[in-house]
Amino acid sequence: MKLQPGREAVVRVAVATLWTSPEAVRPVDRPALTAGADILTWVSGLDTDQQVGDCVLSQLLLGERVLVSELRPDGWARVVAVEQPAAKLDPRGYPGWLPTEQLAPVDPSTDTGTDAPLVVDSTVTGLHAAPNGPVVLPGVVVGTRLVPAGPVRDDWRPVHVPGHAAPLWLPDDHLVATSAEAPAAAQALAVAQRLLDVAYIWGGLSAHGIDCSGLVHLAWRRFGVLLPRDADDQAVATTPLALGAERPGDLYFFARPGRKIHHIGIVTAPPGNGGERRMLHACYRRRRVIEEPLPADRTATLVGAHRV
């Protein structure tokens, strides 16, 4: 099977980065462009200015589906990330570019659409060649959906992995079954809290580096809820609350006067009697995920609280 324009494909690396264009990538981005997509090395090599470069649009997780719209002879594919809603950009999903080496054709024998019955709950894990064997695919992150390939053996679970003919293995306690039930807000907040101190990366969507809307998207994605990718779209997809009615796990949205929403955070405490508010967010200024009381300048741009 080969990649073909007009057909779906799946991500075969732990985390793939979606780029604005092949020409926009920088020399420092090289580790993220390889067939192995070494995201940890890429993030560690970025300075604070490069962490917010606008060449990155989003990231996709292992097994995530894309619609291929163009294949270039230089090894790039224009795709639509169909599991990341982005209505203002494309009704089908988030558009951008990926290296073709990071994609695999959909395998009908193991394809379950978007309803893979297992999801990674470990913040970061690796896939092994055999139980207790060598790591074949490191850096797999929370929220990744996987298809089982057989029964548990000695507390290890085999799973089908795009681009690998034989199943790979990971500790069974790094996985949980997917559920059709909507998560409680506290459950999503608990996932986001595990990402405290993760580096802020513009467009990031993993435990290796993440941005404000990526943190929200990933926390709910762990439970099968696919919120839009960008903060302004997330506001449209959630339910507004009266300020003062928010509770932990709800969302704060921020915008400057006359401008669209530019930032989002997750409420971590009920508002205090004096109007004090706290949130967990991927902070552009501090370049990491933090939990803090809203400073005065944040409060001045707070435009609403919403509930998923």
Side-chain angles (χ1 to χ4, degrees), residues 257-273:
R259 305 289 294 276
K260 72 175 186 177
I261 287 168
H262 68 271
H263 191 61
I264 185 172
I266 305 175
V267 179
T268 56
N273 291 333

Side-chain angles (χ1 to χ4, degrees), residues 225-258:
V225 177
L226 290 183
L227 292 177
R229 175 61 181 90
D230 291 341
D232 53 341
D233 291 331
Q234 290 171 347
V236 174
T238 51
T239 302
L241 304 169
L243 278 174
E246 67 269 22
R247 293 294 180 265
D250 291 332
L251 305 174
Y252 285 136
F253 290 93
F254 301 85
R256 298 178 183 90

Side-chain angles (χ1 to χ4, degrees), residues 26 28-29 42-56 198-203 210 283-288:
R26 307 154 296 184
V28 73
D29 300 322
W42 174 59
V43 170
S44 66
L46 299 174
D47 63 30
T48 54
D49 289 336
Q50 292 164 340
Q51 284 177 248
V52 296
D54 59 4
C55 55
V56 175
V198 165
Y200 181 101
I201 300 294
W202 182 272
I210 204 160
C283 182
Y284 179 99
R285 301 167 186 168
R286 303 270 291 275
R287 298 294 200 266
R288 60 187 177 91

Side-chain angles (χ1 to χ4, degrees), residues 37 98 100 129 147 188 232 283:
L98 292 174
T100 55
V147 178
D232 53 341
C283 182

Side-chain angles (χ1 to χ4, degrees), residues 286-297:
R286 303 270 291 275
R287 298 294 200 266
R288 60 187 177 91
V289 178
I290 60 174
E291 195 275 339
E292 64 173 353
L294 267 63
D297 58 342

